[in-house]
Amino acid sequence: MMAEPAAALGIPLRLLAEAPGVSAAQVIPDHTVGDYTDLATLQALVKGCRVVTFDHEHVPTHHLHALEDDGVLVRPGPEALVHAQDKVVMRGALDRIGAPTPRHGVVTDTAEVAAFGFPCVLKTSRGGYDGKGVWFVSSPQECDAAFETAAATGVRILAEERVDFRRELSALVARAPSGQAAAYPVVESIQRDGICREVIAPAPGLDPELATRAQALALQIAGELGVTGILAVELFETTDGRVLVNELAMRPHNTGHWSQDGAVTSQFENHLRAVLDLPLGSPAPRARWTVMVNVLGGTGALYDGYPHALARDPRLRVHLYGKEPRPGRKVGHVNAYGDDLQECLERARHAAAWFAGELGDESE
């Protein structure tokens, strides 16, 4: 999704693809298939590149340091990116900054979890996403899977309190090396089974003072950690009117996909501008409301959804990823925007369900 704004700006991209035919390889001709955990592959790929950036946080930190030692511009740099790679490192940094977070601590066995207190959430320090590497535990017996994973992979286990939250929010900011920064409207994200299903921009009914606090917090974190590019700060809005930092992501993020059609400058374009230290574009919304709904793979033929969805809603914006559908896999998203939130929700939900094969002709 960075390819489209890159083409418009005349910025050539080179891609390291994890397999032939993956989504980005379908739209970026200059690509190599290789293993991002292999340093020699990375070093060969980046020769002649002005800057290196990422669409996930899993490139080994020591490899990124090695690229920097070779004189390569890595943005965000490894000293910043490690906070999105390792949740234990992230929590330590947020504590030093003074950012509000859930109560947390590293645990090495079930006894330490019991001392921390049930119920709680156990997370792997590295490698978790979309609900993977996360366990909600209420008894010692439920801790086994987490520590078995830790033993098999060498990751640490972080215990966190189960927060009594009203909803989940996301504060997305872009930051350039020069220090210029831009903050998008704070959005509400709706999660099901650990997967982001919907995003509403801006978060409905959010107190303006709390929204400003959340944006300021995201900007502070970006500055303190030296982030270059997009930073997504995933937040809990608590029932007593606070925000707590849940996760960090240093890349274009699912909670910012609404910006492709709902903001003056998308997160993808601003990420490119930031890593190249170009002036940032406006993050202002184009419409009162924008709703993003993810399309999950189902039983239907994905592309058969176009005639119905586009004819029913000419203002709908559809983004499919060229992925083979399978149940629960994110294969695309739709954006609907307008002045009426309920109408936008209905339009986006209907289209996403149609593409997933969850609706038939009777839904006309």
Side-chain angles (χ1 to χ4, degrees), residues 118-143:
F118 292 110
C120 65
V121 184
L122 300 181
K123 299 179 178 181
T124 56
S125 58
R126 287 179 175 258
Y129 66 96
D130 282 351
K132 299 178 177 67
V134 179
W135 298 266
F136 295 87
V137 298
S138 300
S139 67
Q141 292 74 22
E142 295 176 349
C143 300

Side-chain angles (χ1 to χ4, degrees), residues 87 105-110 112-114 116-125 131-140 142-147 156-162:
K87 293 180 177 63
V106 175
V107 289
T108 59
D109 55 33
T110 301
E112 291 186 358
V113 180
F116 180 85
F118 292 110
C120 65
V121 184
L122 300 181
K123 299 179 178 181
T124 56
S125 58
K132 299 178 177 67
V134 179
W135 298 266
F136 295 87
V137 298
S138 300
S139 67
E142 295 176 349
C143 300
D144 291 346
F147 291 112
R156 291 179 286 180
I157 297 296
L158 182 70
E160 296 183 355
E161 67 173 307
R162 295 187 69 169

Side-chain angles (χ1 to χ4, degrees), residues 26-94:
Q26 296 173 30
V27 294
I28 300 176
D30 185 3
H31 67 266
T32 299
V33 175
D35 181 2
Y36 62 81
T37 66
D38 180 70
L39 178 58
T41 297
L42 297 177
Q43 289 172 323
L45 179 88
V46 304
K47 287 180 179 177
C49 289
R50 181 171 175 182
V51 64
V52 173
T53 192
F54 316 93
D55 67 355
H56 63 71
E57 297 101 341
H58 305 307
V59 179
T61 310
H62 55 280
H63 285 359
L64 301 181
H65 281 294
L67 294 183
E68 283 196 327
D69 290 343
D70 292 340
V72 178
L73 275 179
V74 178
R75 292 176 172 167
E79 297 292 348
L81 190 65
V82 69
H83 297 95
Q85 295 175 319
D86 191 307
K87 293 180 177 63
V88 173
V89 174
M90 173 193 72
R91 288 293 182 221
L94 293 176

Side-chain angles (χ1 to χ4, degrees), residues 204-271:
L206 182 62
D207 179 83
E209 191 276 333
L210 191 60
T212 300
R213 256 195 287 153
Q215 289 177 313
L217 176 61
L219 289 168
Q220 178 193 9
I221 292 170
E224 294 274 3
L225 300 185
V227 174
T228 297
I230 290 290
L231 170 69
V233 181
E234 297 181 74
L235 302 159
F236 294 126
E237 181 187 359
T238 66
T239 53
D240 60 356
R242 297 175 297 143
V243 289
L244 301 176
V245 179
N246 179 30
E247 303 276 0
L248 301 180
M250 293 181 194
R251 52 177 168 77
H253 191 253
N254 202 182
T255 59
H257 286 2
W258 70 273
S259 67
Q260 281 177 290
D261 307 297
V264 173
T265 311
S266 76
Q267 64 165 343
F268 302 101
E269 180 173 337
N270 261 340
H271 185 78

Side-chain angles (χ1 to χ4, degrees), residues 269-282:
E269 180 173 337
N270 261 340
H271 185 78
L272 288 169
R273 291 190 186 205
V275 300
L276 291 169
D277 209 10
L278 297 173
L280 299 178
S282 169

